[in-house]
């Protein structure tokens, strides 16, 4: 019984947390934008959790870009085989390029230019949580 009550309370807290999250617009990297050498893994950790229907905005200049990588392996290896180009220059300038996280899945993002992904740390993943609505 005590276990059940505890589980119920945890569910309630989760529900309350989810209900409070309105769709947000999040600039990737904050004031650092999408650039070589900023730690986006760290940024993503600090910016989590994100929710389904949140919008990510990538602001960048050439030669950087935004790819969606197909899986964890390609993400870890910075392997762009089978990756999907979402935006190149000049789409990142001014208002930036927007991606709506509209699915409950893992999104692997990276920039493909030269060593952007491997040495420049221009990669992160996001797993948006569903809204409680
Ligand atoms: C980037 O941040 C992550 C998470 O905080 C950390 O594990 C990693 O070592 C950092 N990478 C570099 C190159 O600083």
């Amino acid at each position: 019984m005590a276990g059940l009550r505890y589980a119920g309370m945890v569910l309630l807290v989760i529900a309350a947390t989810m209900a409070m999250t309105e769709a947000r617009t999040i600039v990737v990297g904050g004031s650092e934008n999408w650039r070589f050498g900023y730690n986006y893994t760290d940024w993503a950790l600090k910016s989590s959790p994100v929710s389904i229907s949140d919008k990510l905005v990538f602001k960048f200049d050439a030669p950087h870009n935004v790819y969606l990588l197909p899986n964890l392996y390609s993400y870890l290896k910075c392997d762009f085989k089978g990756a999907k180009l979402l935006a190149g220059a000049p789409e990142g300038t001014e208002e930036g390029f927007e991606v709506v996280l509209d699915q409950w899945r893992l999104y692997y993002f990276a920039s493909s230019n030269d060593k952007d992904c491997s040495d420049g740390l221009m990669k992160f993943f996001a797993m948006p949580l569903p809204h409680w609505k």
Side-chain angles (χ1 to χ4, degrees):
M1 277 317 272
L4 262 184
R5 199 177 301 160
Y6 177 72
M9 217 153 77
V10 169
L11 267 181
L12 207 71
V13 170
I14 292 174
T17 308
M18 285 181 171
M20 280 189 301
T21 54
E22 290 294 317
R24 295 184 300 163
T25 298
I26 305 163
V27 177
V28 174
S31 58
E32 299 291 335
N33 294 339
W34 183 233
R35 67 159 176 89
F36 190 97
Y38 185 68
N39 190 337
Y40 291 91
T41 305
D42 195 45
W43 172 82
L45 272 175
K46 287 173 181 156
S47 308
S48 65
V50 289
S51 302
I52 290 179
S53 77
D54 279 355
K55 200 187 286 175
L56 294 182
V57 183
F58 290 84
K59 297 187 174 183
F60 59 94
D61 295 310
H64 309 302
N65 56 35
V66 184
Y67 270 88
L68 194 60
L69 298 176
N71 53 48
L72 179 63
Y73 178 84
S74 54
Y75 171 81
L76 292 174
K77 296 283 176 188
C78 288
D79 179 353
F80 288 82
K81 222 180 297 141
K84 185 181 167 207
L85 179 65
L86 298 184
E91 289 171 84
T93 56
E94 313 217 345
E95 299 302 299
F97 171 74
E98 294 182 355
V99 188
V100 179
L101 305 176
D102 55 3
Q103 292 169 51
W104 190 12
R105 52 161 282 186
L106 272 161
Y107 289 85
Y108 301 100
F109 295 106
S111 176
S112 75
N113 183 64
D114 195 25
K115 295 196 181 323
D116 275 4
C117 179
S118 53
D119 294 357
L121 306 175
M122 295 182 76
K123 64 170 175 179
F124 68 96
F125 62 86
M127 172 87 192
L129 298 175
H131 284 280
W132 193 270
K133 275 183 199 166

